[in-house]
Every structure is written in structure tokens, then in C-alpha cells.
């Protein structure tokens, strides 16, 4: 049984597992292991450590030393932020909150033994496991593209070097060249993300390469904040952006990264830069843990526990939870609910009813910010939307500037809520 | 919490029929309002033909005007934010502002305890109305038909906030509001007196304060939850 459930990411990892070493067991204290130091995981680790005041031993497993936020990575492409300004390290979580930060990959989860195995060979025991690994891409989603092609046709949907590469490719476009985006089907990380990105690319091209064109190939009939983006595109970038929806072949697309072509319903287009954002699924570790159903990990809304294992909580993009969009704000909100539930289960701290909220800001052009948001509650079936709002078309410049400034405040707020 | 007697006025919709029956009546007694104004407001504000900005901006044309809208006047960041969020001086907001300026605009420079007496407010507003050409949302009917007073009942105000619950709830605030008190783009909420906090949340809840995110967040908070948050934030000081 144990052996069946112990699943490995690869043979190299399996080999190093031959002599497992158990570490991090501070005797007596309940142990929480968090996998993934992003919007969900970093927040959860920080809140469990902070609020349990040393009663719980917290280990955070995250392979990278610098986390680049996807949020505001589009603003980097547009030239509104430096790349270094969206990078965050884990130093404060370790030094001020006493979190044991382990820079490694989790490669297996033994749910019976309640241990996590790491690529480096170590094994971490847990009383509760929190998984917030974000997304991976569905293989074969865009014919002609796989992850080995991300150097020629970047996804830039995990921020950092991919984002840098995409920006460099846009800068290298010939005068009057074509930038193409293959947009993802629902559900995916950050519903307005691709369209904010198009806005930022358009902003950049308007300054640097004004005769260039942007082509969006989109399998979806509609998209997030559509009226706001389309109004903004017409106002700021008239004629530069063309979107091909499903009625015109947007769902029948393939790419050839070597030839730099995109084929839409049989018609071959030559492109100069191409951003492929494939269909998505929960970070692979969820699948390896056997807690997915379809592409995502279903959770119990009140506590964010996996529906398949009460000792595992899953957060953020990887989950199937109901009405919340896959956003950093949502992951952060869910993390606090999970942290409370975990503390309640492992210590005698009080447990309150779950509350969730989300707001997503997007930038259309300089100081032209818009937002959409909602609040949510836990029902037995799902996280259900309670109330919401969205910016209006035709808002005046002051309000749009204020909305943009607010997004700067939010960025500062959420990153200090994640990293201390 | 004891003395946080908050009275938020809400305009009741009045039908044309009711107006016809009662005839047009002023908001209050403008003549008496002039005396109240002279006593309480005139040290900072001018109104009338020769009015100019003093410590506070002049008040000609105040009804229906966007808040903080004189470019030459040096406003607080707080009221400019409220302006950009869409705060317009209609009767209901003016009334709330006069009663307790901080309920509507936390960081206002208007250093004024507020006119707690409804009659004083009615009369001052009736006086100011004379100097507004184009008043909005001023039903010209009997004061009793004009307003429905929504007190926050004493039981609500005396709720003993559960600070531990407030700490959990506050985690929803800190996604945007930085705990270290930085306030670029989003105002700081640390070091906020309990009473002001409660009043501000209820003003969002009743949509007196503009801002869609805060109206939504506060709109969902129960009276107990607002009290809990207030108790927690107070403990932070
Ligand atoms: C272009 C773009 C713009 C966006 N803009 C916004 C925005 O404005 N507002 C907003 O709220 N959201 C935005 N988002 C969405 C937001 O980035 C995600 O929803 C959020 O990061 C999800 O958090 P998470 O914890 O689920 O995953 P992530 O933040 O991706 O964190 C997952 C972490 O887990 C680690 N990991 C994965 N597998 C393993 C493993 N096996 N072992 C150890 N560690 C592992 C990864 O290295 C990663 O650091 C945007 C996204 C994109 C792509």
C-alpha cells in the first residue's frame, strides 16, 4: 500500500531515495510542511508560523531562491517596472518567522507515512501538508508546442527568465513585425492576464515599433474585463490589435516554433514573436500525490482540505474550489483560511468561518487602471460568490489613475503579506 | 464605543405625489443656519458673493460639486482620494460630513468635531443651499419627509469586540493595506482609533463613502465583525 502510494517524479530522485534521511523533526511540536513558496504557499507558511507563535514547526519547500511574481510581470514587459522590483527572497520568512526554508523540489508524497520526499534525497515528515504548487501546462494543448520550445515561443506564464525572454523577443521584432499570442482556454491562471499583457505589449510597440501588429488567437468566446480592454485598445492603440476568436478559427491553432509560424484554421501566418499560453492544470506534484480529479485538486471550501486527504490542504491555482478566479489575491486569501484551519487542527487555537475575497487590477496604458473584484463564502459544495463589482467603461482619468495607484499599493501590501 | 453615537442620515425616496401634497418646504431654517454658520464654520470657511478660500475652501456652489475640486486649494491626500473615488457633495454626504467629518473622510484636514444636532445641520445646509445654483438631491419637502434617520442602535455600538476574531478578519485587510503603515496608493489603517474605525466601516456599508472595493468588503461585515476588527486594531496601538 505504502509503496503504491509513494510516487516519484523521476528515476534520479528515486535513486537518491535509497537512503532517506528524516530531518526537521523538532520533537513534540506539530509539523507543517508547505510545498511552493508563491502567493498561496508563502502566505500560508507565514501565517501558520506567525499566529502559532512557535507552537508549530513550519518548513517551506521551494526550489527557487528568488520568487518573481507573475503579478506585475506584464508591467515589466510594458516598461513600467524593473524585473528586480518583482523579485522576492525568503530571508525574512526564515529569520523573523523561524520558518525552515528548504530550497529543493518536492518529488513525492507518501500519504500513509505522511512524508514528503525531496529531489535532494531528504524526507520531511508532516502532520499537515499544504500544497500550493501553482500550475503546469497540459501536454499537447497547442499542437507543435511543448515545454522544450519555451525558448523560441515563451509562455511567460511563470515569471522570471521567461518574462525577460519574451520582452527581449518583442524588442528584437523587425519594424512593422507581428507579435502573436495564443491565448489559453478556461480555466487558467489570472483571467485578465493575457489581455493585460497584450495591452502592455501594445504600449511598448506604440513607443518603439508603431507599425507593428498584435494578433491574439483565442479559443474563448469571451474574456475577463472584455469591454474595458476593448474600449482601452480602441482608445490607445487603434488598429494595432486584432483578435481571432473561436468563430474564426481561434480554437483550431497550431504553431511551428522552428519556422516561426502560427496556423489558424489552416491559414499559415508568419510571426516575429510568439507568446504561447497553453491550457493549464494543477502543479504536477498534486497529480503525483494522487489528489487531482481531472486537471485540478478538488478542495473542501471551509478549510481548503483536499477532498481526497484530510491531512493535505491545497491552495491557489492548483485547486478546483468553485467561483474564485485563479489569482494571487485568491491564493493569498485561501492561504489565510487554510492557515487558520491547520492551526485549529494542530493546536487548540480557535477556528472562525472562512471568508474569501479577490480583486484583480489591470493596466491598459499609462495610468489607465481597471479592476474587478468579488467576495466569496464557503458552502458545502464550493466557494461561492457573494458580491462583486467591476470598473465601468468611460470612467474619467482621475479615477483610472487612482485605480492604477491603488494597484501599486496592493502590490506592496500583498508582497509584504507573503514575505513579511 | 460608548460615545460613538452615530447617526447616518439616509434620504428616503419621496414620490412626486407626496411632494405635491406637502408643497415645497426648505431643508431647514436658513436664517438660523446663518447664525450657526457664523458661530461654528466661519472661522475657516466663507460663503456668499465675496467668498474666498481661507483655512478651508469657500463654499459657494457646494451642492452637487465633486469633493476637493478647487485645483488651487491644498487638500488632504485623504479627501483627494475620496474625490477620485467619486465623492460628490450631495445633501446626504454633506449631512454626514457635517455630523462627523472623519466618518466620511478619515484623514480630512477639517479639524472639526462635527455638528451633532440634526437641527443645526439642517439649518446650516439650508443656509449653504442659498449659494448653490444647481442643487442636487435636495427634495424640497418637509424635513420629516426628507429624511429617515438610521441610528446605529445602542446595542450595536456597545458590542464588545472579539479581538481574536478581529485578528483573523484583519488578514483580509492586509492583502492591500500594509501593516507597517505605508500608504502609497492605498491608505494606511494602522493606529486607527476604535470609534473612527467603526464609524468609517458603517459609512462604507451604507455606501456613504465612495469606493467599490471597500463598499463590498464592509458590506459583508456584520456588526460583530466590525466590532471585532475595531477591537483588534485598537490593540495594535
Ligand atoms: C502575467 C500574469 C499576471 C498576473 N497578474 C495578477 C494580478 O495582477 N493579480 C493577481 O492576484 N494575480 C495575478 N496573476 C496570477 C498569480 O500569479 C497566480 O494566481 C498566483 O501566483 C497563484 O499562486 P500559487 O501559490 O497557486 O502559485 P505560484 O505563485 O505560482 O507559486 C507556486 C510555487 O510553487 C513552487 N513549486 C511548484 N512545484 C513545486 C514542487 N514540486 N516542489 C516545490 N516547490 C514547487 C514554484 O516554484 C512556485 O514558486 C498573474 C499571473 C500571470 C501569469
Amino acid at each position: 500500500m505504502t509503496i503504491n502510494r509513494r510516487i516519484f517524479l523521476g528515476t534520479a530522485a528515486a535513486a537518491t531515495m535509497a537512503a532517506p534521511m528524516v530531518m526537521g523533526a523538532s520533537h513534540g511540536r506539530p509539523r507543517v510542511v508547505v510545498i511552493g513558496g508563491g502567493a498561496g504557499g508563502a502566505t500560508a507558511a507565514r501565517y501558520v508560523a506567525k499566529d502559532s507563535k512557535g507552537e508549530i514547526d513550519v518548513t517551506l519547500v521551494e526550489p527557487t531562491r528568488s520568487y518573481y511574481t507573475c503579478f506585475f510581470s506584464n508591467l515589466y514587459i510594458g516598461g513600467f517596472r524593473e524585473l528586480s522590483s518583482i523579485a522576492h527572497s525568503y530571508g525574512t520568512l526564515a529569520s523573523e518567522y523561524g520558518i525552515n526554508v528548504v530550497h529543493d523540489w518536492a518529488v513525492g508524497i507518501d500519504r500513509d507515512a505522511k512524508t514528503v520526499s525531496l529531489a535532494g534525497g531528504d524526507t520531511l515528515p508532516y502532520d499537515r501538508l499544504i500544497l500550493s504548487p501553482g500550475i503546469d501546462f497540459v501536454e499537447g494543448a497547442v499542437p507543435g508546442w511543448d515545454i522544450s520550445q519555451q525558448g523560441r515561443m515563451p509562455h511567460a506564464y511563470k515569471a522570471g527568465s521567461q518574462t525577460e525572454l519574451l520582452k527581449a523577443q518583442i524588442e528584437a521584432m523587425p519594424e512593422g513585425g507581428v507579435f502573436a499570442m495564443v491565448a489559453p482556454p478556461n480555466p487558467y491562471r489570472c483571467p485578465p492576464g493575457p489581455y493585460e499583457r497584450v495591452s502592455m505589449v501594445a504600449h511598448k510597440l506604440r513607443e518603439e515599433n508603431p507599425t507593428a501588429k498584435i494578433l491574439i488567437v483565442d479559443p474563448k468566446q469571451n474574456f475577463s474585463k472584455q469591454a474595458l480592454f476593448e474600449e482601452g485598445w480602441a482608445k490607445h492603440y487603434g488598429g494595432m490589435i486584432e483578435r481571432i476568436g473561436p468563430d474564426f478559427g481561434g480554437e483550431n491553432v497550431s504553431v511551428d516554433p522552428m519556422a516561426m509560424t502560427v496556423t489558424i484554421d489552416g491559414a499559415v501566418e508568419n510571426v516575429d514573436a510568439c507568446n504561447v499560453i497553453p491550457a493549464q492544470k494543477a502543479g504536477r506534484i498534486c497529480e503525483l500525490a494522487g489528489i487531482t480529479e481531472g486537471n485540478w485538486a478538488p478542495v473542501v471550501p471551509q478549510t481548503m482540505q483536499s477532498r481526497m486527504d484530510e491531512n493535505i490542504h491545497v491552495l491557489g491555482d492548483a485547486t478546483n474550489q468553485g467561483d474564485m478566479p485563479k489569482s494571487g489575491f485568491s491564493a493569498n486569501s485561501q492561504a489565510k483560511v487554510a492557515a487558520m484551519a491547520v492551526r485549529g487542527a494542530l493546536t487548540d487555537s480557535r477556528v472562525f468561518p472562512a471568508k474569501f475575497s479577490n480583486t484583480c487590477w489591470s493596466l491598459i496604458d499609462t495610468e489607465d487602471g481597471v479592476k474587478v473584484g468579488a467576495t466569496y463564502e464557503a458552502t458545502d459544495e464550493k466557494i461561492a460568490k457573494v458580491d462583486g463589482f467591476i470598473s465601468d467603461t468611460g470612467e474619467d482619468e482621475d479615477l483610472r489613475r487612482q485605480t492604477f495607484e491603488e494597484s501599486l499599493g496592493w502590490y506592496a501590501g500583498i508582497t509584504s503579506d507573503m514575505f513579511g | 464605543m460608548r460615545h460613538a453615537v452615530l447617526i447616518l442620515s439616509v434620504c428616503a425616496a419621496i414620490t412626486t405625489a407626496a411632494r405635491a401634497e406637502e408643497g415645497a418646504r426648505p431643508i431647514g431654517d436658513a436664517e438660523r443656519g446663518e447664525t450657526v454658520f457664523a458661530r461654528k464654520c466661519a472661522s475657516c470657511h466663507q460663503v456668499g458673493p465675496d467668498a474666498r478660500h481661507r483655512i478651508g475652501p469657500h463654499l459657494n456652489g457646494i451642492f452637487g460639486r465633486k469633493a476637493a475640486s478647487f485645483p488651487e486649494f491644498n487638500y488632504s491626500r485623504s479627501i483627494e482620494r475620496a474625490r477620485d473615488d467619486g465623492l460628490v457633495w450631495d445633501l446626504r454626504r454633506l449631512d454626514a460630513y457635517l455630523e462627523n467629518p472623519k466618518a466620511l473622510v478619515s484623514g480630512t484636514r477639517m479639524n472639526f468635531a462635527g455638528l451633532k444636532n440634526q437641527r443645526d445641520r439642517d439649518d446650516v445646509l439650508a443656509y449653504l443651499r442659498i449659494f448653490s445654483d444647481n442643487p442636487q438631491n435636495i427634495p424640497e419637502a418637509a424635513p420629516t419627509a426628507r429624511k429617515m434617520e438610521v441610528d446605529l442602535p445602542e446595542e450595536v455600538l456597545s458590542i464588545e469586540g472579539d479581538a481574536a476574531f478581529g485578528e483573523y478578519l484583519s488578514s483580509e485587510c492586509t492583502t492591500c493595506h500594509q501593516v507597517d503603515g505605508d500608504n502609497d496608493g492605498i491608505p494606511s489603517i494602522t493606529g486607527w482609533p476604535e470609534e473612527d474605525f467603526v464609524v468609517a466601516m458603517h459609512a462604507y456599508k451604507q455606501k456613504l463613502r465612495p469606493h467599490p472595493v471597500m463598499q463590498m468588503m464592509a458590506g459583508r461585515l456584520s456588526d460583530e465583525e466590525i466590532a471585532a476588527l475595531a477591537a483588534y486594531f485598537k490593540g495594535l496601538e
Side-chain angles (χ1 to χ4, degrees):
Chain A
M1 185 62 200
T2 303
I3 218 75
N4 289 339
R5 280 232 186 135
R6 182 177 289 164
I7 311 156
F8 298 109
L9 196 57
T11 46
T16 59
M17 275 300 295
M21 186 193 88
V22 176
M23 57 179 241
S26 331
H27 298 286
R29 282 199 295 166
R31 291 158 307 201
V32 169
V33 173
V34 182
I35 298 179
T43 309
R46 180 169 165 267
Y47 272 80
V48 173
K50 171 172 83 66
D51 294 339
S52 69
K53 302 185 173 69
E55 272 188 67
I56 296 177
D57 180 75
V58 182
T59 301
L60 175 62
V61 183
E62 163 61 50
T64 64
R65 281 169 198 277
S66 272
Y67 174 82
Y68 289 87
T69 58
C70 282
F71 23 111
F72 278 23
S73 67
N74 288 331
L75 273 64
Y76 157 73
I77 292 174
F80 293 92
R81 294 288 282 219
E82 294 294 321
L83 192 62
S84 59
S85 81
I86 60 168
H88 302 269
S89 74
Y90 297 91
T92 311
L93 290 184
S95 64
E96 289 204 8
Y97 298 90
I99 295 167
N100 178 21
V101 181
V102 178
H103 290 297
D104 204 345
W105 286 94
V107 290
I109 293 167
D110 182 334
R111 285 162 44 192
D112 291 332
K114 297 211 274 179
T115 57
V116 175
S117 47
L118 304 183
D122 293 333
T123 299
L124 302 172
Y126 64 80
D127 295 301
R128 284 290 166 115
L129 177 64
I130 299 177
L131 277 177
S132 194
I135 53 146
D136 273 308
F137 301 112
V138 174
E139 291 86 12
V142 178
W145 192 93
D146 65 50
I147 201 74
S148 71
Q149 300 300 322
Q150 66 175 357
R152 292 186 67 83
M153 292 189 173
H155 53 80
Y157 236 58
K158 298 181 183 184
S161 56
Q162 273 281 298
T163 326
E164 228 177 341
L165 181 64
L166 183 64
K167 186 173 181 174
Q169 292 180 355
I170 295 164
E171 283 164 0
M173 279 168 56
E175 202 182 316
V178 176
F179 169 88
M181 170 188 280
V182 178
N186 289 321
Y188 61 95
R189 156 176 285 188
C190 193
Y195 310 97
E196 181 188 58
R197 174 169 295 166
V198 162
S199 308
M200 291 296 95
V201 173
H203 172 85
K204 186 173 176 59
L205 291 174
R206 190 187 60 202
E207 312 293 309
E208 295 166 10
N209 189 351
T211 54
K213 293 281 175 218
I214 296 175
L215 181 64
I216 310 169
V217 189
D218 204 332
K220 302 181 294 300
Q221 201 73 43
N222 301 106
F223 61 89
S224 171
K225 302 179 186 165
Q226 184 162 0
L228 295 165
F229 280 116
E230 287 179 347
E231 177 194 54
W233 293 346
K235 177 173 169 199
H236 301 297
Y237 312 117
M240 184 184 262
I241 301 164
E242 185 190 353
R243 175 171 171 267
I244 298 177
D247 296 343
F248 297 90
E251 57 192 341
N252 180 16
V253 61
S254 64
V255 297
D256 183 340
M258 290 318 286
M260 282 307 282
T261 57
V262 176
T263 305
I264 306 155
D265 228 7
V268 181
E269 303 278 343
N270 290 309
V271 299
D272 299 292
C274 187
N275 178 202
V276 177
I277 309 175
Q280 295 158 28
K281 61 179 185 179
R284 188 157 148 70
I285 191 71
C286 293
E287 210 175 311
L288 295 175
I291 56 162
T292 51
E293 204 177 77
N295 285 336
W296 310 101
V299 292
V300 179
Q302 184 59 44
T303 56
M304 301 304 292
Q305 274 161 304
S306 162
R307 290 218 187 250
M308 300 180 195
D309 187 332
E310 62 178 13
N311 295 314
I312 301 181
H313 299 248
V314 195
L315 308 175
D317 292 356
T319 59
N320 174 4
Q321 34 69 26
D323 296 347
M324 295 183 85
K326 297 185 186 301
S327 74
F329 200 123
S330 296
N332 170 271
S333 171
Q334 293 160 10
K336 294 164 192 175
V337 168
M340 173 188 61
V342 164
R343 284 197 303 121
L346 298 182
T347 67
D348 56 4
S349 72
R350 289 165 65 195
V351 175
F352 303 105
K355 271 192 176 239
F356 303 95
S357 53
N358 177 61
T359 299
C360 282
W361 286 265
S362 301
L363 188 60
I364 300 178
D365 195 359
T366 310
E367 297 197 335
D368 189 359
V370 292
K371 60 188 170 188
V372 60
T375 56
Y376 305 85
E377 66 186 7
T379 66
D380 288 343
E381 182 211 342
K382 62 171 185 175
I383 299 183
K385 181 171 167 179
V386 179
D387 187 17
F389 69 87
I390 183 164
S391 296
D392 285 325
T393 50
E395 285 171 344
D396 67 24
E397 285 176 11
D398 290 343
L399 182 53
R400 289 296 176 90
R401 179 179 33 76
Q402 171 119 326
T403 303
F404 166 65
E405 284 170 4
E406 206 172 84
S407 74
L408 302 178
W410 165 76
Y411 186 89
I414 192 172
T415 51
S416 65
D417 206 39
M418 289 163 63
F419 297 105
Chain B
M1 293 307 304
R2 284 159 280 111
H3 42 281
V5 183
L6 171 71
I7 301 169
L8 298 169
S9 305
V10 176
C11 296
I14 49 159
T15 62
T16 330
R19 196 176 303 171
E21 264 170 41
E22 296 177 24
R25 298 249 300 273
I27 313 162
D29 174 353
E31 211 168 301
R32 183 173 173 278
E34 184 172 4
T35 359
V36 180
F37 186 90
R39 218 159 17 91
K40 298 279 193 181
C41 317
S43 55
C44 299
H45 291 281
Q46 293 186 343
V47 71
D50 304 319
R52 285 184 296 118
H53 299 320
R54 302 236 329 246
I55 294 170
H58 77 69
L59 300 175
N60 292 344
I62 183 81
F63 281 91
R65 189 168 72 210
K66 214 177 192 191
S69 52
F70 295 119
E72 70 280 11
F73 191 81
N74 181 20
Y75 294 100
S76 67
R77 181 72 192 99
S78 197
I79 201 165
E80 286 178 351
R81 248 182 204 132
R83 169 197 67 205
D84 292 345
D85 288 338
L87 179 64
V88 169
W89 291 126
D90 59 17
L91 181 64
R92 185 178 161 213
R93 268 96 188 169
L94 278 172
D95 187 54
Y97 194 61
L98 281 190
E99 185 189 10
N100 179 355
K102 287 198 166 64
L104 207 62
V105 184
S106 299
T108 180
R109 292 216 179 100
M110 179 151 122
N111 191 6
F112 180 59
L115 286 176
K116 299 303 171 201
N117 182 314
Q118 179 74 60
R119 184 168 165 220
D120 286 351
R121 294 199 299 279
D122 286 345
D123 294 349
V124 166
L125 289 169
Y127 173 64
L128 290 178
R129 188 215 173 293
I130 297 173
F131 305 101
S132 284
D133 296 334
N134 198 12
Q136 283 175 14
N137 299 329
I138 310 177
E140 305 281 318
T144 45
R146 178 173 68 90
K147 283 178 186 163
M148 186 175 64
E149 275 168 16
V150 183
D151 299 35
L152 284 183
E154 199 53 49
E155 329 60 286
V156 171
L157 292 164
S158 57
I159 295 172
E160 201 55 54
D162 174 348
F165 185 26
E167 179 170 12
Y168 163 63
L169 293 171
S170 77
S171 69
E172 226 177 8
C173 313
T174 53
T175 302
C176 298
H177 298 272
Q178 285 168 264
V179 272
D180 66 8
D182 271 9
N183 65 350
D184 331 304
I186 290 184
S188 158
I189 50 169
T190 49
W192 201 351
E194 194 177 12
E195 181 184 317
D196 293 2
F197 180 88
V198 171
V199 167
M201 286 308 119
H202 281 283
Y204 279 123
K205 222 180 143 165
Q206 303 196 8
K207 302 200 192 301
L208 273 169
R209 281 183 175 224
H211 203 280
V213 180
M214 283 310 303
Q215 287 180 353
M216 177 181 82
M217 299 304 289
R220 192 167 67 129
L221 294 172
S222 66
D223 298 337
E224 284 75 19
E225 289 170 335
I226 290 178
L229 278 165
Y232 171 67
F233 282 119
K234 177 182 143 206
L236 277 189
E237 291 165 346

